[in-house]
Amino acid sequence: MPVNPLGQDVGEALPDWQAPPSPVREAMQGRYCRLEPLSAQRHSADLWAASSVDAGASWTYLPYGPFESRAAYVDWLAIREREADPLFFAIVDLKQGHALGVCAYLRIEPAAGCIEVGHLYFSAAMRQTAMATEAMYLMMQNAFELGYRRYEWKCDALNAASRAAAERLGFQFEGVFRQARVIKGRNRDTAWFSIIDSEWPALRAAFERWLAPENFDTDGRQRVALSALTAK
């Protein structure tokens, strides 16, 4: 641990540190999905259709939704597509060509080198698929390639599925912020997770191995679990 001239412990010096740029509205291409800058005109029909088969469970822990009508959802998307933080993307299935989910960068802090992924809506059609994992990999890869030092995931502490997903993706649990927010008239304790830049090279290799076509059999079943790779 470095010590300053006053004998106090201080953080590691970062003489070469430069703040990264903010992410931009550009598509991110994968093998199973493409992340496209969110567009109400281009994506609303697909997203509304995908969400219409959902009983509502996917919206429980989000601060909005489910929406009463397609018009209300289109209006919400039209607002979101103009924002820079959060910066929203539609998750498009390359096989079918339809948008099946949404994700976003938020709390974008270039000066600190910190960025968060969130506003995750995965429709029933994309849950537990390679495209869902790849979408998170593409967001992560882009952030670290831009030069961010810290990549965050936060969720309702009661959202067991989100917490399990964070751990499977290689995030480290950092604790729970009690009474952090009020969402839909209810208390929310927030669980915090993160990945830092020194962890990214090993995680990138784990994702690339898991996403490789040879990791899946002819029925699409994984041969090696991502959790086994990220745990290493």
Side-chain angles (χ1 to χ4, degrees):
M1 177 73 69
V3 177
N4 71 7
L6 300 175
Q8 299 166 305
D9 292 335
V10 293
E12 177 187 356
L14 301 173
D16 300 322
W17 163 248
Q18 292 184 354
S22 294
V24 296
R25 287 186 173 84
E26 290 183 353
M28 291 175 256
Q29 183 76 29
R31 180 178 288 117
Y32 306 102
C33 72
R34 181 174 58 254
L35 305 185
E36 299 180 359
L38 183 66
S39 165
Q41 181 178 4
R42 187 164 65 252
H43 301 124
S44 60
D46 284 350
L47 291 171
W48 179 252
S51 66
S52 295
V53 300
D54 190 333
S58 296
W59 301 102
T60 299
Y61 298 107
L62 290 169
Y64 42 77
F67 296 87
E68 296 181 357
S69 66
R70 178 176 173 178
Y73 188 42
V74 171
D75 288 345
W76 183 85
L77 291 173
I79 295 171
R80 301 287 84 80
E81 73 177 14
R82 296 193 295 269
E83 295 177 328
D85 187 355
L87 179 61
F88 276 84
F89 294 86
I91 305 168
V92 178
D93 175 13
L94 290 180
K95 192 173 184 179
Q96 301 293 333
H98 299 306
L100 298 178
V102 170
C103 56
Y105 289 126
L106 66 153
R107 291 169 57 94
I108 303 167
E109 300 180 38
C114 182
I115 193 168
E116 181 180 343
V117 64
H119 292 284
L120 304 180
Y121 177 81
F122 290 179
S123 68
M126 71 170 290
R127 277 181 232 133
Q128 298 183 330
T129 65
M131 89 177 81
T133 298
E134 185 178 57
M136 295 298 91
Y137 165 70
L138 291 172
M139 292 285 279
M140 201 180 299
Q141 175 180 245
N142 185 55
F144 284 117
E145 286 185 349
L146 286 171
Y148 284 85
R149 306 171 62 233
R150 175 179 168 85
Y151 190 75
E152 296 181 333
W153 176 296
K154 302 188 186 80
C155 63
D156 191 309
L158 298 177
N159 189 345
S162 184
R163 294 181 67 157
E167 292 178 355
R168 172 179 174 269
L169 293 169
F171 285 84
Q172 299 295 310
F173 175 62
E174 295 183 329
V176 173
F177 280 39
R178 299 177 299 164
Q179 296 187 182
R181 301 186 67 186
V182 176
I183 300 294
K184 295 177 178 175
R186 296 180 180 274
N187 174 65
R188 177 176 127 161
D189 295 348
T190 298
W192 285 52
F193 299 82
S194 74
I195 295 170
I196 58 175
D197 53 359
S198 61
E199 297 163 343
W200 171 238
L203 286 174
R204 179 179 56 205
F207 278 106
E208 290 175 353
R209 180 179 172 189
W210 188 85
L211 290 165
E214 56 267 25
N215 189 45
F216 299 92
D217 63 21
T218 55
D219 295 319
R221 292 188 294 260
Q222 64 181 359
R223 301 182 191 277
V224 180
L226 181 63
S227 57
L229 298 172
T230 57
K232 296 178 182 180

